[in-house]
Amino acid sequence: RRIEKLCEYYWAPFKSDCEELLGRFQQTESVRYEGFSAIWREMDFSGVFFGTQSDHEKRYFTRLIFTIAYRYILPPYSFQIRVGGLYMIYGLYNTQLIWPKEKIRIALKDWYDVQKLIADAKSCQHLDVVYIFKRLLSSKAFCFTAMPQKLTFEGRERVQHNVNEEFRDHKNRVTELASIEMLEEIANMHGHYERLKKSSVPPSSGVTLLNLTYLVQKCAFEYQQWQDKIASSSRAVMLAAIKSKSYGHVSKGTKSRRHRQVEMVTPGSGTDQALFSQKRRPPSLRTRTWQNFGKPSEPEQTQEWLLSVMEEDKNALKRKDIRRFKWRNNWL
Amino acid sequence: MGMTPLAAIIISLQAKLTVKTTLPTNLSAKQEHAGGWGRCTVQLSSLGGDSVPKKLVTIEEEEEHCSRLRANVVSRLVMADSSALICEENQHENVPVYEFMDVNSKEFHIGAFRDLWLDVLNPKVYSYSDTAPEIEDVEFIEEMGIESKTLEELKSICSVDSLRSGHEGTDNVPSDLHLSTLKLRKRRQDYKETLTRYTVDRHEVYANEMEMTSVGKKPDDLRDLIPEGEIILTFNIMYPILFRRFKFVRAYQTLHVLGSQKLSDLRDAICCVSDLQVFGEFSNTPDMVPQFISKDHYKSAFFFFNGTFFNDTRFPECQDISMTTQEWTRTRDFPEFKTAKMEDTSFYDLKMKVGFPYLYTHQGDCEHVVILTDVRFVHQNDCLDIKLYPLITHKHRVVTRKCSVCHLYISRWITTSDALAPTDPCLFCDQCFRMFHYDDKGNKLGDFLAYAYVDPGTFN
């Protein structure tokens, strides 16, 4: 139990490692596994497991990092990040150091999302994505569950999983609304309405008809133009471009526009404070008495006596500084 | 114009019009992800070409209905972008989602949940045997429409070797630190080296021992193999300790049960010390200790899940002990509770919330909090012997109380109002008890009351 609580301190550092890995992957602007594994090797990511002595701790740690990495496969992250998350899970599953291997828990509600991801990848012929997923399935890496984690109704510090805004998927909502199917439906209904009206009501009614299909289309088109004008590199367009580059078309050139630095949300000092409350011991009775009744600015004049030690031995009275290990070093 | 004709049209047209809404795959988008939104596609099945429905009463009404429908559809299209509209299909009420984030899930029917999974999974994915790699390769080639040499290329790119680290030794943190995780671990390792004395936590060494003994066990008889696609439920049953000392550590035992097993199987597997208590005052007759234990005498028990009391009615001695609670609730402002039989209900029939505390009561008043922590499919690496279920994987160790006199033997007697004993109550082992309280001829010395004591640590 104690080990489990201690392992939770690894949450923040591991999350920042994940985000660094995925951030670099995002910069490659592709979803090819080659690119991912190159970054993995460069960062020596399989080393996250190194250095733990006890099996018990290894197991809890592995479970924890699976929980963290699992989030990146699900919405609201963009397609590229989700694929990166899948590769990351594949990597972590295969480089874990315990046996029997810890499984990747996947909940039913998330399974639908994952299936959709794989279906998208299939339709764009991303062979490596599909292959990796199939490898995970066939090596029985998944454990099909109800909820993503075991829920024990224990009071734990609830750590927020803050979604990294850089990784979020930006859907082009207007085009989704005014999609081909939608416009067809509207046209169909409009036509039907017209027919009914003609057959039933004499045509001398003074109602001007709105051509809704045309209006919606026009709006969407205007929006698109405005969007293109505002940002020459529209995020959604870029994401769609990444998605469509299928396996086998490895483009070498980097886009010249892509020079902006990826700003990472560092969960170091700022969020760390917010996530974990600081624990300080309440002041002792002696301190409080001195503060309330004595002169708080001056040091205390009390002299301590220890009869078993010589008077000249000043060090004996000094309380040995019991250094506890500070897990959360805010200037790390 | 009356309401009835219009209503008649609407009802008749409802049969022809199906407004189907598709749920976004992240159902509780509002809850879980800040940026979630619902997408609604409205599909109207055609009204059969140009023909006007037969049950039309007046033309104006038909037109009114059509325009109303059109306005409805348009407003839905407009609203589709906002996150307010989330419609549910009937099957989705059994997809488990969080009721409170990271605390517990909403209620769902376990059998239906299993069926939902089985609908979307290829049986090979949860079977115990592995498909031959050659067959997998062929299937992949066919599915993706590629050539075999592309597959070979894929295999070499995506192999596990691509993930290998440069370092060989995994026991120590490598020297070139880049990952924050490793930096933290290195700091911890350095700190540990500064300690003059590092005690290895004994509990840590044996923590998973119980679980590990049963992992991967296959039965000798294949009929005892758990069928593929079975659900395993994990229950944490808390010990009924109410002392202040135990507020920080909740002692519990963990049991794994199969979905097809009955609630009575779970009941039988729970080890509670109150089952072993022996009643009666034996100071006058220390040699005659009756051979019955509470477990045999008071057999009634019940589970309380989601508003239903599941009673144990297997034996004629069992009474419905939930009746007292139910009668009490009827006098207050509580919803009506249902009763059911424990031995007739299997876990597949239940509707449960994961992570939510429930109740198990036996012996009349010994109450245990029961939490369902996990519901999952059985895996190749689990214990596959059906005879071993319900399986205990974790049991909190309780310190055994030794005799106050010798501190060597486990105590068997507890005395109260004892003039000879230092404390009230006081524990004795059998030998010390007899030597202390009775003389050579077996006469009772002094005034005391003695009861048989069963130590809570008997299950260690």
Side-chain angles (χ1 to χ4, degrees), chain A residues 17 33 41 44 48 50-51 90 103 105 113 122 138 140 144 146 153 182 189 195 200-201 326-327, chain B residues 25 44 50 59 63 77 129-130 143 158 162 165 167 170 180-181 185 187-188 374-375 377 379 381:
Chain A
D17 287 337
Y33 180 76
R41 281 192 297 271
D44 199 16
V48 288
F50 292 177
Y90 175 75
K103 312 287 176 290
R105 294 174 58 103
D113 292 328
K122 249 193 222 173
S138 64
K140 308 274 164 51
F144 306 104
F153 210 75
M182 200 70 76
M189 265 191 336
R195 283 191 292 272
S200 50
V201 174
K326 285 202 222 46
W327 281 97
Chain B
T25 48
L44 296 172
D50 280 333
I59 290 164
E63 187 184 273
L77 288 174
S129 53
D130 296 319
E143 195 180 333
C158 303
S162 64
S165 157
H167 302 273
T170 61
S180 329
T181 322
R185 200 168 284 148
R187 264 201 318 126
R188 181 126 211 278
D374 187 21
V375 180
F377 268 66
H379 191 273
N381 285 354

Side-chain angles (χ1 to χ4, degrees), chain B residues 32 35 37 57 89 103 119 131 216 312 323 355-356 360 381 384 389:
Chain B
E32 289 185 56
W37 56 286
V57 177
E89 284 187 11
V103 176
D119 284 339
T131 0
D312 194 355
M323 278 316 289
F356 195 74
Y360 165 63
N381 285 354
L384 296 175
Y389 279 85

Side-chain angles (χ1 to χ4, degrees), chain A residues 91-122:
Chain A
L92 293 171
Y93 181 77
N94 285 308
T95 53
Q96 63 178 300
L97 298 174
I98 41 165
W99 192 92
K101 282 195 183 223
E102 194 64 29
K103 312 287 176 290
I104 301 158
R105 294 174 58 103
I106 180 155
L108 183 61
K109 58 182 168 78
D110 300 326
W111 179 257
Y112 299 130
D113 292 328
V114 172
Q115 288 287 73
K116 190 159 183 306
L117 178 75
I118 302 297
D120 280 346
K122 249 193 222 173

Side-chain angles (χ1 to χ4, degrees), chain B residues 54-116:
Chain B
K54 306 277 191 309
K55 294 205 182 128
L56 195 59
V57 177
T58 61
I59 290 164
E60 286 90 349
E61 283 157 353
E62 160 72 355
E63 187 184 273
E64 195 183 306
H65 176 77
C66 269
S67 64
R68 191 179 303 179
L69 191 70
R70 184 179 163 186
N72 194 18
V73 166
V74 167
S75 66
R76 280 197 181 196
L77 288 174
V78 167
M79 272 165 73
D81 199 40
S82 73
S83 59
L85 197 69
I86 295 178
C87 311
E88 287 181 23
E89 284 187 11
N90 204 21
Q91 65 167 76
H92 286 275
E93 63 189 20
N94 281 315
V95 175
V97 290
Y98 280 114
E99 186 178 8
F100 297 104
M101 194 65 190
D102 278 342
V103 176
N104 64 286
S105 78
K106 289 200 178 133
E107 207 176 278
F108 63 95
H109 189 265
I110 298 191
F113 157 76
R114 174 175 178 245
D115 293 333
L116 285 175

Side-chain angles (χ1 to χ4, degrees), chain A residues 241-259:
Chain A
I242 292 175
K243 195 165 162 176
S244 59
K245 270 189 284 183
S246 66
Y247 182 82
H249 306 280
V250 181
S251 60
K252 304 279 176 164
T254 49
K255 291 193 173 63
S256 55
R257 303 175 283 196
R258 286 277 124 242
H259 283 311

Side-chain angles (χ1 to χ4, degrees), chain B residues 51-335:
Chain B
S51 64
V52 170
K54 306 277 191 309
K55 294 205 182 128
L56 195 59
V57 177
T58 61
I59 290 164
E60 286 90 349
E61 283 157 353
E62 160 72 355
E63 187 184 273
E64 195 183 306
H65 176 77
C66 269
S67 64
R68 191 179 303 179
L69 191 70
R70 184 179 163 186
N72 194 18
V73 166
V74 167
S75 66
R76 280 197 181 196
L77 288 174
V78 167
M79 272 165 73
D81 199 40
S82 73
S83 59
L85 197 69
I86 295 178
C87 311
E88 287 181 23
E89 284 187 11
N90 204 21
Q91 65 167 76
H92 286 275
E93 63 189 20
N94 281 315
V95 175
V97 290
Y98 280 114
E99 186 178 8
F100 297 104
M101 194 65 190
D102 278 342
V103 176
N104 64 286
S105 78
K106 289 200 178 133
E107 207 176 278
F108 63 95
H109 189 265
I110 298 191
F113 157 76
R114 174 175 178 245
D115 293 333
L116 285 175
W117 259 125
L118 293 176
D119 284 339
V120 288
L121 287 181
N122 184 334
K124 278 192 286 198
V125 158
Y126 54 83
S127 88
Y128 301 146
S129 53
D130 296 319
T131 0
E134 298 84 27
I135 301 180
E136 279 179 0
D137 290 348
V138 169
E139 282 176 355
F140 189 73
I141 289 173
E142 277 176 17
E143 195 180 333
M144 301 301 290
I146 55 172
E147 297 170 5
S148 54
K149 69 170 166 63
T150 325
L151 180 61
E152 292 307 310
E153 191 189 317
L154 258 183
K155 276 195 203 178
S156 67
I157 295 175
C158 303
S159 81
V160 180
D161 294 328
S162 64
L163 304 160
R164 223 167 274 287
S165 157
H167 302 273
E168 276 313 312
T170 61
D171 279 342
N172 285 309
V173 183
S175 42
D176 47 341
L177 298 175
H178 183 72
L179 300 166
S180 329
T181 322
L182 287 180
K183 285 192 188 132
L184 179 60
R185 200 168 284 148
K186 185 85 178 38
R187 264 201 318 126
R188 181 126 211 278
Q189 206 172 59
D190 293 341
Y191 163 74
K192 273 194 201 168
E193 277 161 25
T194 62
L195 297 176
T196 48
R197 188 182 52 171
Y198 179 63
T199 48
V200 177
D201 198 350
R202 198 162 47 107
H203 289 282
E204 190 187 315
V205 173
Y206 296 116
N208 277 346
E209 194 192 338
M210 202 180 246
E211 196 173 342
M212 290 299 130
T213 50
S214 60
V215 155
K217 272 221 177 89
K218 303 248 183 331
D220 300 321
D221 188 352
L222 276 178
R223 276 174 301 178
D224 290 335
L225 193 69
I226 301 176
E228 291 169 5
E230 183 82 27
I231 296 269
I232 292 184
L233 297 107
T234 312
F235 282 97
N236 274 8
I237 296 151
M238 309 287 165
Y239 291 177
I241 298 174
L242 300 167
F243 303 129
R244 198 162 50 95
R245 197 150 63 97
F246 294 98
K247 265 202 295 200
F248 308 105
V249 177
R250 289 258 183 269
Y252 63 87
Q253 40 179 283
T254 312
L255 283 174
H256 291 282
V257 284
L258 300 175
S260 50
Q261 291 185 314
K262 303 270 187 272
L263 291 184
S264 42
D265 297 329
L266 176 63
R267 190 247 156 135
D268 293 334
I270 297 176
C271 330
C272 176
V273 73
S274 60
D275 277 337
L276 305 172
Q277 299 288 358
V278 177
F279 291 112
E281 205 270 307
F282 297 110
S283 56
N284 299 313
T285 52
D287 299 318
M288 190 195 81
V289 176
Q291 294 307 312
F292 73 90
I293 55 173
S294 302
K295 194 167 183 172
D296 303 324
H297 245 266
Y298 306 108
K299 293 212 178 74
S300 6
F302 69 82
F303 280 104
F304 177 68
F305 294 138
N306 284 330
T308 314
F309 288 95
F310 293 93
N311 290 301
D312 194 355
T313 49
R314 286 175 290 176
F315 306 100
E317 300 100 37
C318 297
Q319 295 159 357
D320 187 2
I321 48 182
S322 61
M323 278 316 289
T324 25
T325 323
Q326 286 185 320
E327 278 158 19
W328 180 84
T329 58
R330 278 194 205 115
T331 61
R332 315 288 163 111
D333 192 18
F334 276 92

Side-chain angles (χ1 to χ4, degrees), chain A residues 120-135:
Chain A
D120 280 346
K122 249 193 222 173
S123 65
C124 301
Q125 282 292 95
H126 290 296
L127 301 176
D128 41 6
V129 181
V130 185
Y131 179 73
I132 294 270
F133 185 70
K134 292 239 181 284
R135 288 289 315 139

